[in-house]
């Protein structure tokens, strides 16, 4: 239930023995988890996992094996521009949180200056989200996709057995598009 609430963007409360309770606002859960095929089969066939709603919020991927097509590469990845740019960005991001893991007010204010719109005044622990507006064509495509999936999820539809997962797929598509 906690994972589902975090995926939906509900406030997250954290209670620690010595530090009291903290509330994190405007967070979204993204979970990247790699498991062996046998474990994945056990998860996707688990009715409890889907009955709780968590399974319906997970995008599963089972890529083909690359065994036999991975020749040894002796290149030093740490010397590539891509790797060095990645390290620099990680350093920049980590400096935002060097005092603690919560978003600081200065970061919040800089996001406001960059065009983000707050739903309220700043609250400690709040992650200020940049609102992404869909173009008219994108919104039309989303609505068409949503309606198609919804229609195919009714009792006589071919997605009826997967209606919980199907109910989230249009939102998943929009979230992925937002990342891109």
């Amino acid at each position: 239930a906690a994972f589902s609430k975090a995926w939906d963007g509900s406030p997250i409360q954290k209670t620690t023995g010595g530090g009291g309770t903290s509330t994190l606002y405007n967070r979204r859960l993204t979970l990247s988890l790699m498991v062996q095929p046998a474990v994945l089969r056990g998860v996707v066939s688990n009715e409890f996992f889907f009955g709780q709603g968590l399974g319906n919020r997970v995008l599963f991927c089972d890529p083909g094996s690359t065994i036999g097509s991975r020749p040894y590469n002796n290149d030093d990845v740490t010397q590539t521009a891509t790797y060095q740019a990645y390290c620099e960005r990680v350093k920049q991001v980590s400096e935002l949180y060097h005092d603690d893991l919560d978003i600081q007010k200065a970061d919040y204010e800089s996001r406001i200056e960059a065009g983000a719109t707050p739903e309220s005044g700043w609250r400690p622990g709040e992650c200020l989200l940049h609102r992404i507006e869909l173009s008219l064509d994108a919104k039309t495509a989303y609505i068409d996709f949503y309606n198609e999936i919804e229609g195919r999820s009714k009792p006589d539809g071919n997605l009826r057995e997967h209606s919980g997962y199907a109910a989230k797929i249009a939102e998943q598509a929009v979230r992925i598009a937002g990342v891109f």
Side-chain angles (χ1 to χ4, degrees), residues 18-175:
T21 301
S22 302
T23 303
L24 304 176
Y25 301 94
N26 292 329
R27 306 293 173 103
R28 299 293 188 277
L29 173 70
T30 299
L31 176 65
S32 297
L33 180 64
M34 296 173 64
V35 298
Q36 295 297 323
V39 174
L40 180 61
R41 283 190 296 275
V43 169
V44 298
S45 65
N46 186 317
E47 290 182 32
F48 181 78
F49 183 69
F50 282 88
Q52 294 297 308
L54 180 58
N56 303 323
R57 293 167 170 84
V58 175
L59 288 177
F60 294 97
C61 178
D62 186 7
S65 174
T66 59
I67 294 175
S69 63
R70 304 169 295 178
Y72 185 80
N73 184 341
N74 199 30
D75 295 342
D76 184 355
V77 69
T78 65
Q79 300 305 308
T80 65
T82 302
Y83 178 82
Q84 291 171 0
Y86 169 79
C87 289
E88 182 58 33
R89 182 64 182 135
V90 168
K91 181 180 174 190
Q92 290 170 357
V93 170
S94 68
E95 287 173 354
L96 291 174
Y97 311 107
H98 69 279
D99 289 333
D100 60 73
L101 296 176
D102 289 342
I103 301 295
Q104 298 299 305
K105 189 171 184 178
D107 183 47
Y108 176 90
E109 290 169 351
S110 69
R111 290 173 186 255
I112 294 287
E113 290 172 12
T117 306
E119 294 179 15
S120 64
W122 181 76
R123 298 173 282 197
E126 182 168 15
C127 182
L128 182 62
L129 305 175
H130 290 272
R131 186 172 180 86
I132 300 173
E133 297 288 337
L134 295 176
S135 69
L136 183 56
D137 288 344
K139 186 170 183 176
T140 300
Y142 166 77
I143 291 169
D144 290 346
F145 182 57
Y146 175 90
N147 287 335
E148 177 185 342
I149 298 301
E150 186 67 17
R152 291 170 58 187
S153 299
K154 59 187 174 185
D156 62 343
N158 65 345
L159 293 177
R160 71 187 173 284
E161 297 295 321
H162 309 285
S163 60
Y165 189 75
K168 303 287 185 232
I169 200 68
E171 185 175 345
Q172 293 277 24
V174 170
R175 287 180 181 215

Side-chain angles (χ1 to χ4, degrees), residues 14-22:
K14 176 184 172 188
T15 304
T16 60
T21 301
S22 302

